[in-house]
Amino acid sequence: MTQHDLLYFVAGLFMVFAFGLCVQMRMLAGVALKRAAKAKFDGLDERSARIGVVQAVNGGTALETAGIEGEVAQHLAGEYPQAISHIRFARKGTMLFAVLLIAVIAAWRFTGGAG
């Protein structure tokens, strides 16, 4: 393995690690919000809790929908704005690090890597 390959390997590992952290942040914050919704609204099923979390994270007009999902979204947006902002930040990071990983692989390939 040349120094050139090692540099791109380390850069690729960093991108994979950062991508994994972003995915983990999205999952953990989403599970926490879903559990908070199920604790607040007795009898809330899994699907409605998940949809309420998604609507709370999406914000905007999604918070004004009718039904239990809209109520869940409004509650979560009002009570847990920090967790919702974490999920939004992790969404951006997931997209960014996926693109950067592809860019690192492409740069490695077109600068003399893989043979």
Side-chain angles (χ1 to χ4, degrees), residues 41-107:
F41 297 93
D42 293 329
L44 187 66
D45 63 338
E46 190 77 18
R47 180 182 180 277
S48 296
R50 189 173 55 246
I51 291 173
V53 169
V54 170
Q55 288 178 346
V57 171
N58 289 342
T61 58
L63 295 176
E64 299 167 2
T65 60
I68 189 69
E69 291 91 359
E71 292 178 33
V72 169
Q74 288 176 352
H75 169 72
L76 293 176
E79 292 292 320
Y80 304 101
Q82 193 70 29
I84 290 172
S85 69
H86 284 321
I87 293 177
R88 288 179 183 154
F89 182 68
R91 276 183 176 179
K92 293 174 187 174
T94 303
M95 291 182 286
L96 174 70
F97 287 116
V99 170
L100 286 178
L101 178 61
I102 292 169
V104 166
I105 292 170

